[in-house]
Amino acid sequence: MPRWKKFLYTLLIAAVAVAAGWFGWSLLMKPDTCSDGIERIGGECIGVDGEGYDFGTPEISAVARAIAEENRKIEGQPHVTVAMMLPLQSDKPALRRQMRSDLQGAYLGQLQANKGEGEPPKIRLVLANPGRDYRQQAKVVDTLLRMASSPEDRLRAVTGFNLSLDSTEDAVRRLTDHKVPVLASRISGDQIANPDGADGMAKPRFPGLARIIPTNGDAAQALADFNGDRGRENRKTVLVHDTRPDNYNESLAKAFSGIEEKGPPGPAPMPFESPAIDEAGSTGNQFTQIANNICDSDADTVYFAGRNLHLRIFALKLAQVGCENRHYTIVSGSDAASLRQDMKEKDWEQLRGTDGKARVTVQYAAPAHPGAWTTELADWTRSWQRTHHRRPTANELPQYLTEPKAALDGLRNLIESTRRQGVDLGSAPDLEDSRTMLVYDGLVTIGTALHQMQSGNAETVPRLEDVGREWSQLQSRHRVHGTSGLICLTSGGNAYDKPVAVVELDPGQQSGRGKLKFVGLGWPTGREQPKNCVIPSRTP
């Protein structure tokens, strides 16, 4: 064979080897995907999707498809993108049901914001899964930042955020540092909030952040306000708190520690340590010891600064220790709103005891409750009639009750209309745990800000920083009629004097499941919001 042919064959073989090597390397380096644009990392499907992908969670399949269908309906109309960011995978059925409630609220809020003709811009909603405990949030934030600068995506707000964690704070900080507006609908930790200075000039820690749920500090003050009229001076309290680093636990423990007790001091705080938000670890053993110590004290009220899973275990242990003729009230924060979903019939029996009497009642500051406005209006009206000897006119009824009630009635009508239209949401929305209501209010708040900015200017896409600056305008005349209460945002983007629904989980005295009972409203300032929700000056 001529030498030149041998040389040519050698080159050809080398080229084939290089090509095969490159192909093999590219296959090895290509990211493992769950779906288009969704990367598989550590067994989780991480990324952003608005086309109906369910991230491997069957409970949210139907509502994800409903969101995708609404996105398709508005494709040809002026619109911007809003991302719903929260963990969307879990091996725990209760958590998957909570995800469904959150996304049902997001879908219904998207529908409400997109209602009407000629009211631009519409909202295209995408789901952003940052993984368990927001551990992969950096990758998702990378994607959201690209979408914010993309003329096709036009991302203009990120909402959701259901856990007060360091990783959540990192995500919020990075988004707001890049001028992407964030509206947090369900994080209550005080660390993820902007300060409100006396003169309204305090520098924000997170420029462009707004929150529609009271902080743990505000919720604790609201609980103190509510219980001030219910014999708080006779209570003997003890704080039980989780020492695992967690923004929610830390801020709730601090808030409970700051409540002034009028009665004699109770026992010293009792710490425990959990392994994770959704893992029990050795907490059962720790709680047995803590419950015995409480039993030997005079305490009858426990302030519990911990997550929902651990609250359930603690309540059952406290009921088990068998303190003779003792009834305990456990007071906790907003994470307890899902407690009833996790309770089994044997748990209710344990809280009741063999004599059928309640051994433990759990009271918590829920961010909302569907029975709040009807109950409070009825109580207010009865009080008015006793004083005025007649029924009040419609104009005499208090706005802080009538406007949220009308908003809740509107949400219920929207749920019914989607049902009549055959829209599958996976299950009928359950408003009792407040998740659907809060997330719905978040989307409605974003829609209100977008519509006010774009009034009469349909073709111009609002700038990121303009959306962030709009939050503080949502007060007074421009207050948002939320199902969870009037939303009036301060200069720091915080909901002013947002009420909490004080709810009690009462095991009752009969067999079967216990009741989740609304018992009243608590106000962080000690009194209801002012007329028209005009935020007063903080200057002395």
Side-chain angles (χ1 to χ4, degrees):
M1 179 182 294
R3 187 175 296 174
W4 67 270
K5 283 189 176 181
K6 288 183 179 180
F7 180 70
L8 186 62
Y9 284 143
T10 301
L11 285 178
L12 183 60
I13 291 170
V16 170
V18 170
W22 179 86
F23 182 71
W25 178 84
S26 65
L27 286 178
L28 288 172
M29 296 304 292
K30 184 178 180 180
D32 185 12
T33 58
C34 302
S35 180
D36 288 344
I38 306 297
E39 190 173 350
R40 190 185 306 277
I41 303 174
E44 294 187 288
C45 297
I46 305 300
V48 181
D49 180 86
E51 305 301 321
Y53 179 60
D54 64 7
F55 296 88
T57 302
E59 284 83 349
I60 69 170
S61 297
V63 68
R65 288 193 298 269
I67 289 169
E69 178 59 29
E70 177 65 13
N71 289 343
R72 284 189 283 273
K73 286 180 181 178
I74 65 166
E75 274 181 356
Q77 304 177 55
H79 67 271
V80 298
T81 299
V82 173
M84 177 74 179
M85 186 172 177
L86 75 165
L88 291 172
Q89 290 176 278
S90 174
D91 58 357
K92 295 178 171 57
L95 291 180
R96 296 198 298 269
R97 290 193 296 270
Q98 291 171 21
M99 295 169 193
R100 181 173 59 203
S101 291
D102 285 335
L103 295 191
Q104 287 173 338
Y107 169 70
L108 293 164
Q110 179 190 24
L111 286 187
Q112 182 65 27
N114 288 348
K115 267 187 171 183
E117 298 295 330
E119 293 185 13
K122 308 294 186 184
I123 289 177
R124 172 179 175 259
L125 188 62
V126 297
L127 308 183
N129 181 25
R132 181 183 177 186
D133 295 347
Y134 291 78
R135 291 172 187 167
Q136 303 297 331
Q137 56 83 18
K139 285 185 174 292
V140 174
V141 170
D142 285 343
T143 301
L144 296 177
L145 293 180
R146 287 194 295 271
M147 293 174 67
S149 60
S150 162
E152 289 78 28
D153 289 310
R154 301 185 294 279
L155 178 76
R156 287 300 176 267
V158 182
T159 188
F161 298 105
N162 62 337
L163 296 171
S164 301
L165 304 170
D166 288 344
S167 50
T168 315
E169 182 176 349
D170 291 341
V172 172
R173 185 178 304 282
R174 189 159 163 238
L175 286 166
T176 54
D177 281 350
H178 285 82
K179 299 183 179 180
V180 177
V182 171
L183 186 133
S185 52
R186 290 197 47 252
I187 48 176
S188 57
D190 293 65
Q191 294 93 327
I192 311 176
N194 290 322
D196 280 315
D199 56 2
M201 301 295 289
K203 184 178 180 180
R205 297 177 61 217
F206 308 95
L209 169 66
R211 308 165 44 107
I212 63 168
I213 185 174
T215 63
N216 284 331
D218 281 349
Q221 288 302 317
L223 280 169
D225 164 59
F226 177 78
N227 284 315
D229 296 328
R230 304 178 86 221
R232 180 163 57 95
E233 64 277 2
N234 297 319
R235 289 184 172 188
K236 291 184 180 179
T237 66
V238 59
L239 171 65
V240 174
H241 63 104
D242 193 345
T243 58
R244 175 180 56 80
D246 180 312
N247 280 349
Y248 172 83
N249 296 337
E250 292 164 2
S251 62
L252 192 59
K254 182 179 179 182
F256 283 150
S257 298
I259 294 177
E260 289 187 21
E261 296 297 337
K262 295 182 179 179
M270 300 184 185
F272 70 94
E273 185 173 3
S274 68
I277 286 176
D278 54 0
E279 294 179 19
S282 66
T283 54
N285 292 333
Q286 296 177 67
F287 289 150
T288 297
Q289 298 174 61
I290 290 173
N292 283 325
N293 289 336
I294 292 174
C295 186
D296 289 343
S297 76
D298 292 332
D300 55 19
T301 300
V302 181
Y303 288 128
F304 187 87
R307 292 289 182 173
N308 174 54
L309 170 68
H310 311 117
L311 171 60
R312 173 180 165 272
I313 298 170
F314 174 72
L316 294 174
K317 290 294 182 182
L318 190 58
Q320 275 179 4
V321 295
C323 297
E324 191 173 354
N325 298 321
R326 297 281 292 277
H327 172 269
Y328 293 100
T329 299
I330 303 173
V331 180
S332 196
S334 61
D335 201 57
S338 301
L339 181 60
R340 187 173 184 269
Q341 291 184 6
D342 299 337
M343 296 286 288
K344 301 176 177 59
E345 189 164 332
K346 62 183 175 108
D347 297 335
W348 294 110
E349 292 174 2
Q350 192 166 311
L351 292 186
R352 272 189 291 268
T354 55
D355 59 359
K357 296 180 180 179
R359 291 184 175 180
V360 174
T361 299
V362 179
Q363 182 190 97
Y364 61 90
H369 188 277
W373 312 118
T374 299
T375 303
E376 289 290 309
L377 265 173
D379 290 346
W380 188 95
T381 300
R382 281 193 293 269
S383 177
W384 170 279
Q385 286 179 296
R386 283 195 298 269
T387 305
H388 297 77
H389 309 293
R390 63 176 177 82
R391 290 188 62 82
T393 66
N395 289 334
E396 289 169 331
L397 294 173
Q399 288 175 319
Y400 64 87
L401 297 178
T402 57
E403 291 180 355
K405 181 182 182 301
L408 182 58
D409 290 343
L411 173 57
R412 287 187 167 122
N413 290 338
L414 187 58
I415 291 171
E416 176 60 21
S417 69
T418 59
R419 186 195 64 78
R420 288 197 303 268
Q421 293 166 19
V423 178
D424 183 8
L425 298 181
S427 71
D430 181 3
L431 304 183
E432 196 170 65
D433 70 357
S434 76
R435 291 174 177 273
T436 298
M437 293 170 64
L438 261 291
V439 178
Y440 170 85
D441 284 353
L443 266 293
V444 169
T445 301
I446 293 171
T448 301
L450 291 170
H451 292 163
Q452 287 187 175
M453 293 175 61
Q454 295 299 99
S455 179
N457 194 7
E459 302 304 320
T460 303
V461 176
R463 297 184 305 166
L464 288 166
E465 52 267 44
D466 289 340
V467 177
R469 280 195 286 263
E470 185 66 20
W471 301 142
S472 62
Q473 305 303 320
L474 301 182
Q475 56 170 291
S476 188
R477 180 174 300 185
H478 304 297
R479 63 191 178 277
V480 179
H481 299 178
T483 64
S484 58
L486 295 181
I487 297 168
C488 331
L489 298 180
T490 65
S491 59
N494 300 305
Y496 174 70
D497 199 22
K498 184 82 180 296
V500 301
V502 182
V503 176
E504 288 183 353
L505 194 70
D506 189 346
Q509 297 183 7
Q510 302 195 4
S511 62
R513 294 179 64 80
K515 297 178 294 183
L516 191 64
K517 182 174 64 175
F518 169 77
V519 292
L521 289 180
W523 302 89
T525 65
R527 58 172 301 156
E528 66 276 0
Q529 292 159 313
K531 185 177 180 181
N532 293 329
C533 212
V534 176
I535 299 174
S537 170
R538 303 288 181 94
T539 304

